[in-house]
Amino acid sequence: MSAAVPQPAVPHLAVTDLVAGYVPDVPILRGASLRVDDGEIVAVLGPNGAGKSTLVKAVAGLVPARSGDILVRGESIRGLATHKLVGTGVAYVPQVGNVFTRLSVEENLELGGLGAPAKMRQRIAEMYALFPDLARFRRLAAGRLSGGQRQMVAVARALMAEPHLLMLDEPSAGLSPKMVELVFQKLLEIRSNAVSILLVEQNAKAALAICDRGYVLAEGRERFEGSGHDLLASPEVGALYLGSTTRLAS
């Protein structure tokens, strides 16, 4: 009897030939594809206008997908309403407007845990363990926090639903270098708790330093794919970002 042929693992997220945009017949994504495997941090990079944010917004159901497909563990979620995304084990943290500024830190977290009220207190305690600053500011309105602290509130609120895949759009935008380092360190901790991460980032060096793989988009399609190390060392990727043959790692 011949041995069974191992079957390839089903990607946690698979985006295939995705065409999407805000206006009919004006696509931003023009056949973009990527995958996120279990336990991976995958970065999506590219110059302004490449379609990075459009990609995660299309996965989240915020931008209409005209063609192609979006699979979570092999099941299509293309066209799924955004409010049903959490039921698939996927959470999304947008770049802006990602906290309720007039609510306290703890009230923001409670909103994230409404789907599982019996576990809410346990999950809040876990979020305070992951983000100790939030415990200190639990009664403070989220709008009074620094940009980095608000980003942590947004990520913690998304994690309250116990997602298996966390998508973030430009989490380092507007943050100080020290806070960027802290946020990316927290992403590594989150991944260690069996959460896969899809990360859209303008800070290519920081993202590639922590990711397992990366995709570089240009004109709505993936131009390069590789490990974080390989993309950091690639003169072609450096040229796309810097207009020269300089490596990002230099």
Side-chain angles (χ1 to χ4, degrees):
M1 180 190 291
S2 60
V5 177
Q7 296 299 309
V10 175
H12 199 133
L13 173 69
V15 176
T16 307
D17 299 326
L18 191 64
V19 176
Y22 301 87
V23 179
D25 302 321
V26 185
I28 305 298
L29 297 178
R30 306 181 183 201
S33 299
L34 61 75
R35 79 177 195 278
V36 180
D37 293 327
D38 284 342
E40 278 194 313
I41 297 177
V42 173
V44 180
L45 314 169
N48 290 333
K52 305 183 299 297
S53 293
T54 303
L55 193 154
V56 290
K57 288 178 180 177
V59 174
L62 296 170
V63 174
R66 311 297 178 188
S67 63
D69 211 348
I70 304 165
L71 304 178
V72 172
R73 298 198 185 281
E75 298 291 330
S76 179
I77 64 166
R78 179 184 158 194
L80 186 71
T82 302
H83 68 275
K84 294 183 178 180
L85 190 68
V86 68
T88 71
V90 179
Y92 167 62
V93 179
Q95 178 182 352
V96 296
N98 54 19
V99 299
F100 293 96
T101 57
R102 295 187 180 183
L103 298 183
S104 71
V105 167
E106 189 148 309
E107 287 168 337
N108 270 271
L109 299 186
E110 287 171 346
L111 285 176
L114 287 177
K119 300 180 71 173
M120 185 178 293
R121 303 327 301 178
Q122 173 192 337
R123 290 298 291 163
I124 288 177
E126 291 169 352
M127 291 305 101
Y128 287 155
L130 181 62
F131 301 105
D133 274 358
L134 300 189
R136 292 194 295 119
F137 299 128
R138 66 180 71 192
R139 303 302 178 201
L140 194 66
R144 296 181 60 189
L145 301 177
S146 70
Q149 290 164 342
R150 286 198 301 273
Q151 190 64 261
M152 291 179 189
V153 173
V155 172
R157 192 181 70 208
L159 292 174
M160 285 290 295
E162 297 187 279
H164 301 295
L165 174 65
L166 178 65
M167 303 191 302
L168 303 107
D169 190 0
E170 303 278 7
S172 74
L175 304 187
S176 68
K178 182 177 180 180
M179 189 56 73
V180 170
E181 182 179 353
L182 178 59
V183 167
F184 278 67
Q185 177 188 339
K186 291 300 179 183
L187 295 184
L188 290 171
E189 292 183 42
I190 291 165
R191 188 265 297 274
S192 72
N193 291 320
V195 179
S196 304
I197 295 173
L198 179 61
L199 171 70
V200 168
E201 252 303 327
Q202 195 68 22
N203 188 332
K205 289 184 180 180
L208 291 175
I210 68 162
C211 77
D212 298 290
R213 291 186 302 108
Y215 293 85
V216 181
L217 299 190
E219 298 178 347
R221 292 181 178 142
E222 72 278 8
R223 285 272 299 277
F224 304 98
E225 175 192 356
S227 69
H229 177 271
D230 289 346
L231 292 178
L232 271 172
S234 167
E236 292 178 294
V237 173
L240 189 60
Y241 272 98
L242 306 174
S244 69
T245 57
T246 304
R247 297 183 306 166
L248 288 171
S250 62

